[in-house]
Each structure stands twice: as C-alpha cells, then as structure tokens.
Amino acid sequence: MRLLRLVTLLRVLHRFGGNALRGRVLTYVLGAAALLIYAGALAVLDVEENAPGSNLTTFGDAIWWALTTITTVGYGDHYPVTVLGRCVAAGLMIGGVAVLGVVTASVASWMVETVAEETQAELDAAEAPVQQELQRLTAQVLHLAALLEGRMSKDDGRIREE
C-alpha cells in the first residue's frame, strides 16, 4: 500500500511531461510499466517461491526477472518453472512490447513533428521572396490596367492616340 504514494510522483511527472498528449501518454505508460514490473514480480514470487526447482525465491530475484522480462532482454538466469508463473511471464512480455511500442511511437511522433516544423519554416522562408514579387507584379498589372483604361476611348473602345 505504501507504493500507492507513487501516485504523487505521477503528478510531478505530469508537470514535467507538460500538457502535450505525447508527454502525458509517455508518463502514464512508464508509470504503468513500473506498476506492471512490481505486480509481475509479486505474482511470480507468490507462485514460484515454494515450487520445486524454482530459481525465483527472493523478491530481489523476482524484481530482476520482471525487469529483464518486460524489457524483452530475458537473460535466462531466472525463469519460472510453473504454468502459472509462465502465464505471468507471457503477460509481462506482452506488456513489455506494448510499453516499448508506445515509447517508440512517442519518440517517432516527436521527431516527425520537429522535422515538419523545420520544413514548414524553410518553405515559408523560401516562399517570402516569391510572395513579394507576386505582390509587386500584381501592383504593376493594376497600374498598367488603370493606364490603359484611361487611354481607352469611351465611345468605340479603341485606344486613343496621344
């Protein structure tokens, strides 16, 4: 129950993560991963602690196993020997892949957004002289049109000779 105090840590991480959706998702996924590691370690320890041939007999070993399992490293130095322990392992593996996917997607999203902003800034900078030239030519065409209209004969629509 003392670990529920980590909820206050989530508030602090939320402030640092900012209001961006990506920051909030990343904060909650990492918090969920920590909770998943802890719960997985407790579950596998409960199942494996007294099982014959088990090498997960202490909480430290269970945390180490859960951490290596959720990160998909899986050194093989600790592993469950019971069916229920292997089901916990499967859940941790799936959770690890999901966490890795969300983190990777967040980083990729940030990179794409950064590149898009830089590209848009470059396009705007390259387009500015073209816009200025277009405005200058538009003004010149309007001026020439006004001059031509002034020279047009109102009677027959032909240009007057001056």
Side-chain angles (χ1 to χ4, degrees), residues 100-113:
L100 183 62
V102 169
V103 171
T104 303
S106 295
V107 170
S109 170
W110 171 76
M111 290 174 70
V112 166
E113 184 178 315

Side-chain angles (χ1 to χ4, degrees), residues 81-157:
V81 294
T82 63
V83 172
L84 193 53
R86 290 178 180 172
C87 289
V88 171
L92 274 176
M93 288 177 215
I94 292 168
V97 170
V99 167
L100 183 62
V102 169
V103 171
T104 303
S106 295
V107 170
S109 170
W110 171 76
M111 290 174 70
V112 166
E113 184 178 315
T114 302
V115 168
E117 288 173 359
E118 289 175 3
T119 303
Q120 187 61 44
E122 289 173 4
L123 285 174
D124 291 344
E127 194 175 280
V130 173
Q131 289 295 331
Q132 290 173 350
E133 182 67 14
L134 182 61
Q135 288 174 355
R136 186 185 70 75
L137 290 172
T138 302
Q140 190 176 15
V141 166
L142 290 175
H143 176 71
L144 290 173
L147 283 176
L148 283 175
E149 280 197 23
R151 296 179 74 186
M152 296 286 281
S153 167
K154 294 189 186 221
D155 298 331
D156 58 355

Side-chain angles (χ1 to χ4, degrees), residues 4-57:
L4 291 178
R5 293 180 186 170
L6 290 176
V7 172
T8 57
L9 177 65
L10 284 177
R11 283 192 214 140
V12 171
L13 290 175
H14 177 70
R15 271 189 256 145
F16 287 116
N19 291 329
L21 177 63
R22 193 172 34 253
R24 286 191 305 224
V25 167
L26 195 57
T27 300
Y28 291 128
V29 165
L30 292 178
L35 193 59
L36 190 61
I37 289 169
Y38 182 73
L42 285 179
V44 82
L45 183 62
D46 184 47
V47 172
E48 297 282 321
E49 189 173 31
N50 296 319
S54 174
N55 56 13
L56 292 166
T57 56

